[in-house]
Amino acid sequence: MPPSQLKRLKASLREQGVTGPQKSKKQKQQDRKGNNDSRVQRNAALQQIRDSFNPFEIKANNRPAKFQSFTAHPKKDAVLRPGVTKSMGEEARRATLLPEIQRRNKTGGIIDRRIGENDPTMTPEERALQRFAQEKMRKKGGASLFDLEADDDLEETALTHGGKALDLDRDDFDMEGLEGSDDESDRGVKRRRSSAGSEEDDEDQAMSDTEEQDPDKPARKKSKAEVMKEVIAKSKMHKYERQKVKEDDDDLREELDQGLQEMLSLLRGVKPPPKAEKPSMEAGMNPERLAMLQGKSREEAEREYDVRLRQMAMDKRAAPTTRTK
């Protein structure tokens, strides 16, 4: 019967030197000198004992290295620990999936977002201090910049106009301009409508008159329509000038092309060959047909045509050769 786990543990601890007989004073002094080395060795021995007692904690590679290689930096074999991996996965699921499972059958979306409300590591004093600091930062960010009822920093937030502070308690509304009758307002509207049409026609003349009367005054600012008219007129003028220059260049180029052959012949010292005359229609025509068209009448031409046709009909036709097969 194999020994129990307890006996195996005691035997392995005794073999590794972790436990054993009581040490003397001299041995204890020697152990104190090499305390760091002995501690590292002790931890390594304990880890080896743990691994040996739990063979399923370490997983070996299914396929070891096929060829043995020697390098300056040898690569250690990967140690797989399924138990550690499983525990890490459980902790991650406990942190992410567990809250979702707890809220699965609950309705309502209210989430408490107060600072440190669900943090057990914070004391009430720290929680209150952080909330106070966040509130001060929110106010400092300009949330109360346009609050007219705020008393602090009144000079910075007061409304001004023309460099003077506005008095919101005083009412400057004036009723003097509202006493006119409806008839007068209607007549004023009609008068403005009738004068609006003639303003555009007399605009140029009025502008010239004002310039003659008051030359020191600045010129009137041109309207958008006038500016666009000037731009269109200038673009048309430039386009016409470019077209005219292009036509002149084309004419000059044609003249140069016509006299280029003569100029080249003069430079080479060879006379240009005479231009070949175009062949007339009579050069390539059958002389009999030409004579017929020039001197014969229509009746003679038809008679000759009939004779030629009968001659062609009486011609001997080609016969097939005798077969030898």
Side-chain angles (χ1 to χ4, degrees):
M1 185 175 179
S4 63
Q5 291 284 344
L6 183 58
K7 290 182 179 180
R8 287 179 56 197
L9 178 60
K10 289 181 179 180
S12 58
L13 290 174
R14 196 179 301 110
E15 290 175 359
Q16 296 292 338
V18 178
T19 60
Q22 190 175 4
K23 296 181 181 181
S24 62
K25 189 180 291 185
K26 188 176 181 180
Q27 291 177 347
K28 289 181 180 179
Q29 289 178 359
Q30 291 177 358
D31 292 341
R32 289 197 192 102
K33 292 180 181 179
N35 192 11
N36 293 331
D37 296 338
S38 62
R39 186 178 300 170
V40 172
Q41 292 177 1
R42 178 187 175 89
N43 293 334
L46 291 175
Q47 185 64 33
Q48 185 178 0
I49 292 170
R50 291 192 194 97
D51 296 341
S52 63
F53 272 83
N54 191 1
F56 299 101
E57 187 66 24
I58 298 175
K59 182 181 178 182
N61 289 331
N62 295 331
R63 298 180 62 184
K66 190 172 183 180
F67 301 103
Q68 189 176 5
S69 60
F70 298 94
T71 59
H73 303 284
K75 186 177 180 181
K76 296 181 180 180
D77 295 336
V79 179
L80 305 178
R81 297 181 181 274
V84 177
T85 306
K86 183 179 179 181
S87 62
M88 291 173 63
E90 289 178 354
E91 290 179 1
R93 287 191 293 273
R94 194 178 295 110
T96 56
L97 294 178
L98 184 60
E100 294 181 3
I101 293 172
Q102 291 176 354
R103 295 195 304 266
R104 183 169 55 187
N105 296 326
K106 294 183 179 180
T107 58
I110 298 174
I111 300 174
D112 193 358
R113 299 185 183 277
R114 290 178 293 177
I115 297 175
E117 189 64 26
N118 297 323
D119 192 358
T121 59
M122 293 180 64
T123 60
E125 291 80 7
E126 293 177 352
R127 194 179 301 127
L129 183 62
Q130 287 196 10
R131 291 179 183 178
F132 179 73
Q134 187 180 12
E135 188 68 22
K136 293 295 288 183
M137 289 178 64
R138 188 183 294 114
K139 287 184 178 180
K140 188 178 180 181
S144 61
L145 180 62
F146 301 101
D147 190 3
L148 301 180
E149 297 179 358
D151 295 334
D152 49 343
D153 299 336
L154 183 60
E155 296 180 357
E156 297 180 0
T157 58
L159 296 177
T160 59
H161 179 69
K164 298 179 181 179
L166 296 178
D167 189 4
L168 301 178
D169 297 333
R170 186 170 60 86
D171 192 2
D172 295 336
F173 187 70
D174 191 6
M175 295 292 292
E176 293 179 358
L178 302 178
E179 295 178 357
S181 62
D182 296 338
D183 298 336
E184 293 179 357
S185 62
D186 295 340
R187 285 197 296 271
V189 171
K190 292 180 180 178
R191 195 180 300 111
R192 284 194 297 272
R193 288 179 179 175
S194 60
S195 61
S198 60
E199 284 181 358
E200 296 180 357
D201 300 335
D202 300 339
E203 190 173 358
D204 297 334
Q205 185 176 359
M207 182 178 177
S208 60
D209 295 341
T210 53
E211 288 179 356
E212 292 177 358
Q213 293 175 2
D214 299 329
D216 298 336
K217 290 185 178 181
R220 183 183 62 84
K221 187 177 180 181
K222 296 181 181 180
S223 63
K224 188 176 181 180
E226 294 175 355
V227 173
M228 293 303 296
K229 286 181 181 179
E230 290 183 1
V231 171
I232 293 171
K234 288 181 180 179
S235 64
K236 288 183 178 180
M237 183 180 66
H238 292 314
K239 184 178 180 181
Y240 174 73
E241 291 177 355
R242 289 195 301 270
Q243 189 174 1
K244 188 176 180 181
V245 171
K246 185 179 179 182
E247 290 177 357
D248 295 341
D249 293 341
D250 293 340
D251 295 340
L252 182 60
R253 194 178 297 109
E254 289 179 0
E255 292 178 2
L256 292 175
D257 291 342
Q258 290 176 1
L260 184 62
Q261 294 295 333
E262 297 179 359
M263 184 174 64
L264 290 176
S265 62
L266 291 174
L267 292 174
R268 295 170 184 169
V270 180
K271 292 183 179 181
K275 295 182 180 180
E277 297 180 357
K278 293 183 180 180
S280 60
M281 188 182 295
E282 300 176 358
M285 189 179 294
N286 191 2
E288 296 180 358
R289 180 175 176 79
L290 182 60
M292 181 183 67
L293 293 176
Q294 289 179 354
K296 293 182 181 180
S297 62
R298 185 175 182 81
E299 295 178 357
E300 293 179 357
E302 289 179 357
R303 192 180 303 111
E304 186 176 357
Y305 175 76
D306 294 337
V307 172
R308 294 285 181 89
L309 186 61
R310 283 194 294 271
Q311 289 178 358
M312 290 176 63
M314 296 299 291
D315 287 343
K316 186 178 180 181
R317 297 181 181 179
T321 58
T322 57
R323 295 183 179 180
T324 57
K325 294 183 181 179

